[in-house]
């Protein structure tokens, strides 16, 4: 690990303190350091340092957040993307992740089926609207309803 120059010690202490509390994206870390009145030069150094030395790994954070939102909170694809952007991931990063297949291996129909089951299993207009707000497409909702109907008829 490279020695941190004296003029960047304060910004690095602050950056490490921020990162110790929770994962932050580069965009969020930049905003927090800017709020603390550090110069652009200091912020650029700190960001470059934490990324190069593995203290901030957006790719790992992104895939962890996708799994947590899709499988843990049972969000659909659209809502997952909205939440990731809200968490500080850039649209470019998200677009690249989608192209790379970041949603491969996530069964959104199974997640929608579980969300529908938790909502009482009835696919009325209110439930469809609620599932839509959770980010599921209409085709996911229809497939989930069909899966639930099949499951109940057995």
């Amino acid at each position: 690990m490279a020695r941190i120059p004296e003029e960047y010690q304060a910004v690095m202490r602050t950056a490490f303190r921020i990162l110790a509390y929770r994962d932050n994206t580069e965009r969020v870390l930049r905003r927090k350091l800017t709020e603390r009145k550090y110069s652009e030069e200091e912020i650029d150094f700190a960001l470059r340092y934490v990324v190069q030395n593995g203290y901030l790994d957006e790719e790992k954070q992104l895939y962890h957040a996708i799994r947590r939102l899709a499988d843990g909170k049972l969000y659909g694809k659209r809502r997952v993307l909205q939440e990731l952007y809200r968490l500080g991931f850039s649209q470019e990063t998200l677009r690249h992740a989608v192209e790379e297949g970041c949603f491969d291996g996530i069964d959104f129909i199974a997640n929608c089926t579980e969300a529908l089951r938790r909502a009482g299993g009835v696919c009325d207009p209110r439930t469809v609207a609620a599932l839509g707000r959770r980010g599921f497409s209409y085709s996911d909702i229809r497939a989930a309803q069909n899966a639930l109907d099949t499951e109940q008829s057995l």
Side-chain angles (χ1 to χ4, degrees), residues 57-143:
D57 185 352
E58 278 195 2
E59 187 175 331
K60 183 179 81 176
Q61 290 177 29
L62 177 69
Y63 286 97
H64 176 72
I66 289 170
R67 293 291 175 192
R68 182 175 46 82
L69 293 168
D71 295 334
K73 292 195 173 195
L74 298 178
Y75 286 163
K77 192 176 199 176
R78 284 191 328 262
R79 180 72 182 269
V80 169
L81 289 170
Q82 286 174 345
E83 291 296 313
L84 291 170
Y85 184 72
R86 187 186 62 75
L87 289 171
F89 293 99
S90 69
Q91 286 185 344
E92 180 184 322
T93 301
L94 296 177
R95 192 176 6 264
H96 179 71
V98 169
E99 290 169 1
E100 294 292 316
C102 68
F103 291 116
D104 294 350
I106 298 175
D107 190 349
F108 286 106
I109 294 172
N111 290 352
C112 187
T113 304
E114 179 59 27
L116 182 58
R117 185 178 294 113
R118 289 180 184 181
V122 179
C123 203
D124 60 7
R126 247 178 115 171
T127 306
V128 170
L131 291 171
R133 286 189 299 275
R134 290 185 78 81
F136 293 106
S137 67
Y138 187 69
S139 61
D140 288 345
I141 297 168
R142 293 276 293 172

Side-chain angles (χ1 to χ4, degrees), residues 4 7 9 13-14 25 33 35 37 42 68 75 82 85 101 103 109 112 147 150 152:
I4 299 170
E7 63 269 19
Q9 296 275 329
R13 272 193 305 277
T14 304
T25 61
L33 292 173
E35 288 171 357
K37 309 289 189 233
E42 291 171 317
R68 182 175 46 82
Y75 286 163
Q82 286 174 345
Y85 184 72
F103 291 116
I109 294 172
C112 187
T150 302
Q152 290 173 348

